Amino acid sequence: MEQIFSNDFHYLGLIVLFPLLGAIINGVFGSKLPKSVVDIIASGAVLLSFFFSILSVNILVQSPDSVLTYTAYQWIYTGSLSLDIAFMLDPLSAMMILIITGVGFLIHLYSTSYMAEDPAKWKYFSYLNLFVFAMLLLVLGKNLLVTFIGWEGVGACSYLLIGFWYTDDEKAAAGQKAFIVNRIGDFAFIVGILLLYSETGTFDYIQIHEMVTGSAAIAIAPVAAPAVILIFIGCTGKSAQFPLYTWLPDAMAGPTPVSALIHAATMVTSGIFLLSRLNGLVSMSHEAMWIIAIVGAITAFFAATMALVNNDIKGVLAYSTVSQLGYMFIGIGVGSFVGAVFHLMTHAFFKACLFLGSGSVIHAMGGEQDIRKMGGLKKWMPVTRMTFLVACVAIAGIPIIGAGFFSKDLILWGALSNVHAAQIEPVAAGGIQVQYLISQALPAITSGSALEIATMAEVISWVVYLLGVVTAFMTAFYMFRLYFLTFEGECRADEETQAHLHESPPAILIALIVLAVLSFIGGWTGWPHVWAPEGAAHYMLAFEHWFDPVFQTTQDYRIANRFGDGYAAWEWGSIIVGSTMAFSGVGLAYLFYRKRPGLPRAVSERLAKVHTALLNKWWVDEIYDFLFVKRAIQAGKASYDFDRFFLDGLLVNGAGFVTASLGKAMRHLQSGDVQRYATYIVLAIVLALMALL
Amino acid sequence: MEITLFHYLVLAAATFCVGMVGVLVRRNAITLFMCIELMLNSVNLTFIAFSKYRVDFDGHIFAFFVMAVAAAEAAVGLALIIHIFRHHRSVNVDEANELRL
């Protein structure tokens, strides 16, 4: 009974089905339905999904199996290839579906109020439900191709929703930018999938995992690095990592609940999800892990610097999202998959809360997004302010009361373990990526002795760790800068706006409060190891243990094991450094924007060049514009000219011209005079006869 | 002088050419019609001449066929010419060109 059930778990199909039905009903009939019905269908579909997600996860907890599967449809059966539309529920996808449907429902609820005035509300909800459907497909997919369908689906919905107010050219262009930049990554992604398939002969996650952890691992090893790197390029597109992150800040053109759901909580984290799903494969390729860690660190750092000076409330949050996603990739890169996934979850809570809070503010301010024109809003919006503050504390990583502290600490500790590994055993076989870097990734650079090699690996590990630490400091600073400028101090808005200021309606506040509570307690599922006494470890490290079935085959997935008995000192070090950064960031923000308001100007004048660079976002958009967009336009113009002058001009019109002129010349033969025709015939016969005789 | 096949054929060719040139150069519908008859009859003459030369009757049969067809053609053709005349008050074929583009 149990066994049959676990392989034919229908609930998974239902979870995916409800949002699809909601999207179809609202998409087809929505324009004729009253707005309240549209609200109920859209939110109800996601709520039903959420309900069945809880049921399913509950069954998963009680089931002896760690994976429940359901085959909805036999898609392709030919030769050696068999491909199903199949779903799997394991601890990883369980967490994802709870986030997607749970946070998704809250955001639907929020949207019913936020989008109340929009005439195309039905279209909005149809897209939003379709997004939830695609996202569920992505995380529940049992093989890479089902995930890929979801991957493309969320991309399409993201495009539709960013450009939702398409009559504004700038917003439509932002949607296109997101789509095009994502396509670059998606291309690498599909190539990576096919490369993997060519070597393993399967798209199935479970089979791939069995192969890479079993005896077939040696055969797959050569393609592991290129496949992971290609898939990672796909992730840099979808999860907005350097160098493909530029679409995410522009994506803020969409409605704010969309930014919260798609561009903070769910879609942008699918890269982290995918790499965690393929953790066995990823951990086989240590070159790729180095690249992931370095790219993540660079992204985390640079995005944080851009958030420091941004004056758009959603812009700060957008760069913050990019930066936090960078953190998660550091986690993947240093082998702390649990840390990455943990941060994914806490980030989904607090960032969704922050975005929804900013939406509440923007609504109250009548569309104003510039924080220089806000201030003192706590007087009018106490609930929004409190939830925003809780989420700020969470993302800043204030110990214990901020969920971000726990997850960020796990990642930073993982990064620190790399340094440790590089110090103690640079060349010996172990399983931590450093040795592999030495033997494979950098043979040319590190042709010297083992000592030089160790130094190299150590330097890189330190850089990754320190970038993470500095980013933690900047995160705390810019988030509290945002908070202070928005909610504290004097109101800088004009009289008319001030008169209209008001707290948001209940639907918005409920969503905010629930998310704030989650941001507050969400981290308590994974305490630092040193804080968890022997007896309580099962509860205090619940998050980590929950993922045992997913990550246990990955070597050294539990950071504590890397250090042996001496881990406590390292972890304490990591906690102290992380907390110091959080507190000093908040303190500096307090000093700058509450105590000494003249200080920011003075600092920016002293560091004018840096300030200009930050304000202009390091000119990355301009560089891309010059390198790629201008070239693409040139190529377009060139092919236009080629088409106009060669294809249309010479070939198409040329052929037409020759035929027409020949016709003009020959028409004189066709006089319509029968006798003249007869004369031609006779002349022709006479000529033929003369030739023959 | 004995009249041989050669003489018949020359006569037939001569009348055929007279008829053909008439068809090509004349504009009067009746004349054209008579020229066509002339050409048909020169062909008949050729048939008969060959028939006599080969001493069989195939040529005669063809000649009768040609005469039958010519008679039918004459009936239809004259009816057309009369119609054209009623329409144009003339039998000049150059004027009967309304179907020209």
Side-chain angles (χ1 to χ4, degrees):
Chain A
M1 165 69 195
E2 200 75 56
Q3 211 58 37
I4 297 163
F5 193 56
S6 70
N7 286 326
D8 193 22
F9 192 61
H10 290 100
Y11 286 0
L12 297 182
L14 289 177
I15 294 171
V16 175
L17 187 66
F18 287 123
L20 179 63
L21 281 179
I24 291 172
I25 294 171
N26 272 343
V28 177
F29 306 109
S31 57
K32 293 175 187 66
L33 294 172
K35 281 188 174 180
S36 54
V37 178
V38 170
D39 289 349
I40 291 166
I41 291 171
S43 312
V46 182
L47 187 63
L48 274 173
S49 260
F50 183 49
F51 176 70
F52 277 100
S53 302
I54 292 175
L55 276 185
S56 311
V57 174
N58 194 31
I59 291 167
L60 177 71
V61 171
Q62 287 163 5
S63 158
D65 304 302
S66 60
V67 180
L68 304 175
T69 62
Y70 171 59
T71 303
Y73 174 66
Q74 296 190 334
W75 186 16
I76 299 172
Y77 267 78
T78 162
S80 60
L81 172 68
S82 61
L83 202 55
D84 297 323
I85 302 290
F87 306 119
M88 67 186 269
L89 185 74
D90 69 341
L92 183 60
S93 50
M95 182 198 81
M96 292 301 291
I97 60 171
L98 288 178
I99 292 176
I100 294 161
T101 55
V103 176
F105 169 69
L106 290 173
I107 287 167
H108 275 73
L109 183 69
Y110 179 98
S111 302
T112 56
S113 169
Y114 192 85
M115 301 297 284
E117 308 299 322
D118 200 289
K121 197 181 186 188
W122 58 276
K123 202 158 67 178
Y124 169 84
F125 273 119
S126 177
Y127 292 163
L128 208 57
N129 269 359
L130 195 64
F131 168 79
V132 172
F133 162 72
M135 193 68 208
L136 287 169
L137 215 56
L138 195 161
V139 298
L140 281 174
K142 189 166 168 289
N143 55 54
L144 274 162
L145 284 194
V146 175
T147 297
F148 187 71
I149 296 169
W151 187 275
E152 295 293 309
V154 292
C157 294
S158 162
Y159 158 75
L160 288 171
L161 285 163
I162 295 168
F164 182 68
W165 290 311
Y166 55 84
T167 45
D168 184 337
D169 278 347
E170 210 170 292
K171 289 173 177 169
Q176 285 181 3
K177 185 175 177 185
F179 198 76
I180 291 165
V181 173
N182 266 303
R183 295 242 52 77
I184 298 168
D186 292 353
F187 175 69
F189 182 37
I190 189 86
V191 174
I193 292 177
L194 294 176
L195 180 64
L196 197 57
Y197 175 75
S198 70
E199 208 60 32
T200 61
T202 179
F203 291 111
D204 193 290
Y205 288 124
I206 299 170
Q207 283 176 20
I208 291 174
H209 197 77
E210 275 168 4
M211 279 176 146
V212 297
T213 52
S215 54
I218 297 158
I220 300 167
V223 298
V228 171
I229 290 169
L230 283 167
I231 291 173
F232 174 63
I233 293 172
C235 298
T236 60
K238 191 112 312 187
S239 295
Q241 292 298 291
F242 186 81
L244 297 180
Y245 69 91
T246 51
W247 66 270
L248 187 60
D250 286 21
M252 297 303 129
T256 306
V258 169
S259 310
L261 179 63
I262 301 183
H263 306 120
T266 56
M267 185 188 86
V268 288
T269 61
S270 47
I272 288 95
F273 163 79
L274 187 72
L275 292 179
S276 305
R277 173 60 90 214
L278 294 169
N279 64 79
L281 186 75
V282 172
S283 58
M284 269 176 84
S285 153
H286 299 90
E287 306 91 314
M289 288 181 79
W290 273 109
I291 291 173
I292 294 170
I294 292 166
V295 169
I298 290 173
T299 311
F301 178 77
F302 277 99
T305 60
M306 292 183 251
L308 291 175
V309 297
N310 205 304
N311 286 321
D312 179 344
I313 186 169
K314 283 178 79 181
V316 175
L317 294 177
Y319 281 110
S320 157
T321 304
V322 175
S323 170
Q324 299 300 310
L325 289 166
Y327 256 111
M328 298 177 210
F329 279 108
I330 295 177
I332 303 264
V334 299
S336 176
F337 291 99
V338 174
V341 172
F342 195 19
H343 201 54
L344 189 166
M345 183 184 82
T346 55
H347 178 259
F349 296 152
F350 58 65
K351 191 52 69 64
C353 185
L354 288 168
F355 264 116
L356 295 186
S358 75
S360 176
V361 169
I362 293 166
H363 227 233
M365 297 286 294
E368 181 60 65
Q369 301 197 7
D370 193 332
I371 49 176
R372 284 169 300 190
K373 294 179 184 154
M374 297 179 185
L377 295 183
K378 67 177 174 183
K379 195 163 71 183
W380 292 280
M381 313 180 75
V383 182
T384 304
R385 175 246 179 173
M386 273 317 292
T387 55
F388 204 88
L389 180 60
V390 169
C392 277
V393 166
I395 188 175
I398 303 295
I400 303 177
I401 55 167
F405 162 75
F406 298 99
S407 50
K408 206 178 281 182
D409 180 64
L410 202 51
I411 290 171
L412 288 178
W413 190 34
L416 197 58
S417 78
N418 255 358
V419 179
H420 172 74
Q423 281 174 348
I424 50 161
E425 279 190 291
V427 198
I432 304 170
Q433 49 271 39
V434 182
Q435 300 85 19
Y436 288 83
L437 171 81
I438 295 150
S439 59
Q440 292 170 27
L442 298 168
I445 311 167
T446 59
S447 53
S449 66
L451 190 69
E452 286 172 36
I453 295 162
T455 322
M456 185 81 194
E458 207 185 320
V459 166
I460 297 177
S461 332
W462 272 119
V463 168
V464 169
Y465 174 68
L466 290 176
L467 282 177
V469 169
V470 175
T471 307
F473 169 75
M474 289 193 288
T475 308
F477 174 77
Y478 67 69
M479 282 319 298
F480 274 84
R481 166 180 177 265
L482 182 65
Y483 169 75
F484 288 136
L485 284 179
T486 310
F487 292 101
E488 303 282 344
E490 291 297 309
C491 188
R492 296 177 294 277
D494 52 44
E495 294 290 323
E496 200 190 326
T497 317
Q498 283 199 29
H500 285 121
L501 278 173
H502 57 87
E503 184 59 285
S504 297
I508 286 180
L509 298 183
I510 292 169
L512 283 175
I513 291 166
V514 174
L515 285 169
V517 170
L518 286 172
S519 315
F520 189 63
I521 62 170
W524 294 349
T525 48
W527 295 79
H529 288 236
V530 285
W531 291 0
E534 201 64 40
H538 184 67
Y539 299 101
M540 295 185 78
L541 303 175
F543 194 87
E544 215 168 312
H545 288 296
W546 172 246
F547 284 98
D548 277 351
V550 185
F551 297 131
Q552 66 187 356
T553 47
T554 303
Q555 287 171 320
D556 285 314
Y557 87 98
R558 201 165 282 162
I559 306 295
N561 296 349
R562 293 182 180 175
F563 295 99
D565 291 332
Y567 77 86
W570 287 87
E571 186 166 22
W572 271 114
S574 163
I575 291 170
I576 290 166
V577 171
S579 320
T580 315
M581 288 299 143
F583 281 121
S584 48
V586 177
L588 191 66
Y590 185 72
L591 180 71
F592 266 38
Y593 298 100
R594 296 291 294 140
K595 277 282 163 207
R596 304 264 306 275
L599 214 48
R601 178 175 294 272
V603 171
S604 64
E605 273 165 11
R606 282 290 292 279
L607 301 169
K609 275 185 184 157
V610 179
H611 190 247
T612 321
L614 292 181
L615 266 187
N616 289 294
K617 299 150 190 165
W618 298 103
W619 295 283
V620 172
D621 273 328
E622 283 75 11
I623 292 169
Y624 283 1
D625 193 55
F626 178 74
L627 283 181
F628 303 114
V629 180
K630 286 246 167 65
R631 304 296 150 241
I633 290 171
Q634 276 176 356
K637 283 227 174 77
S639 15
Y640 174 73
D641 288 343
F642 177 76
D643 182 62
R644 233 172 96 89
F645 294 112
F646 184 74
L647 293 180
D648 276 2
L650 202 60
L651 295 187
V652 177
N653 288 343
F657 178 75
V658 169
T659 318
S661 358
L662 265 177
K664 232 175 233 166
M666 303 288 274
R667 66 182 285 192
H668 299 294
L669 288 177
Q670 292 214 319
S671 57
D673 183 349
V674 183
Q675 282 174 314
R676 194 178 286 179
Y677 295 162
T679 314
Y680 295 151
I681 294 170
V682 169
L683 284 176
I685 290 170
V686 169
L687 281 175
L689 283 176
M690 278 168 66
L692 281 173
L693 297 178
Chain B
M1 186 183 77
E2 199 190 343
I3 298 170
T4 60
L5 178 64
F6 178 74
H7 298 100
Y8 286 115
L9 291 183
V10 168
L11 176 65
T15 37
F16 187 86
C17 284
V18 169
M20 188 174 74
V21 171
V23 166
L24 294 184
V25 301
R26 301 305 292 261
R27 290 289 179 268
N28 187 311
I30 305 281
T31 318
L32 283 178
F33 206 68
M34 292 194 306
C35 288
I36 290 167
E37 290 297 317
L38 202 58
M39 286 161 78
L40 285 169
N41 281 317
S42 71
V43 171
N44 274 351
L45 186 59
T46 317
F47 275 130
I48 301 299
F50 273 112
S51 182
K52 185 177 178 235
Y53 175 74
R54 287 166 51 100
V55 201
D56 64 11
F57 292 95
D58 293 358
H60 289 75
I61 295 165
F62 271 108
F64 279 119
F65 267 109
V66 170
M67 275 150 71
V69 170
E73 183 221 330
V76 175
L78 283 171
L80 282 172
I81 289 170
I82 288 165
H83 210 76
I84 288 170
F85 180 76
R86 281 189 184 153
H87 198 73
H88 291 283
R89 292 277 134 202
S90 147
V91 287
N92 190 336
V93 287
D94 279 350
E95 287 171 28
N97 60 357
E98 288 95 335
L99 285 180
R100 224 180 119 184
L101 213 72

